[in-house]
Amino acid sequence: MKLVLLATTLLPTTLAFAPTANGIVARRTSSTAVNIGREGNVDLGGNSWKPDSEKMGSTDTGDYFPEGYDPNAVAFTEGMGGSSGMGSGERGPALPGMENLGADALMMGGIEENTEIPAGMEFVMSSVPDGEIAMDVASNSKGAELLLSVKPVCMGFEDYYAAFTSDSHPSFSVSPVAGRMDRRGGEPTELVVKCNPQGRAGEFVGNLVVNLPEDNSKICYRVTATSF
């Protein structure tokens, strides 16, 4: 469908004065209209030129092999281990001075566990113990041992220190006296409680306290040993 544009241009008007019979001058006004855009003298075909960005076509590179390509030149496993070479039978490129790391290298640092109770630490029994333990021991024996499994109660790893209170019977002892307790839900800490009556008979009572100074808490057990 062709669109015909019609433009109307008003040319300057022409004024004319003509006398009349009664002596009144009459003014005549004339105007000329020019119509532009008739189909006969206007090219409505338009311009068919378009930029390259609007032309349809593919910009992808075609899938083809370069000239002289050899599919067997590189094994399909090449590069699967990444830049470190993992999976190639080696641990990757050795850094200068670290060729024998793990064989004869000296490792420094790391987390050190305390093996002794700090000087001045006090072990005070709580009013209500967290657990009670009963054991039997022969008075003329070398003593009896009991394995106590302590569940971790802290959110993180904590150093612990274990000992009997000063008012406990002297026949009681515990080991290890210091170590690192796992976080809550982890492996329990195993303590060995020993009672050596040294020939004495009777009922002995001891209060075992496990201090967790970093958590500002403690775990207490009341141990009762019957020596016969």
Side-chain angles (χ1 to χ4, degrees), residues 101-144:
L101 181 62
D104 58 354
L106 180 62
M107 300 296 295
M108 303 296 293
I111 299 176
E112 297 181 359
E113 293 185 4
N114 295 324
T115 57
E116 297 181 358
I117 297 176
M121 178 172 287
E122 296 181 352
F123 294 87
V124 180
M125 184 67 175
S126 59
S127 57
V128 179
D130 297 293
E132 295 187 1
I133 303 170
M135 57 187 304
D136 296 329
V137 57
S139 59
N140 57 355
S141 66
K142 295 182 179 180

Side-chain angles (χ1 to χ4, degrees), residues 32-46:
T32 304
V34 180
N35 294 327
I36 301 176
R38 292 183 179 178
E39 189 173 357
N41 58 1
V42 177
D43 184 7
L44 302 176

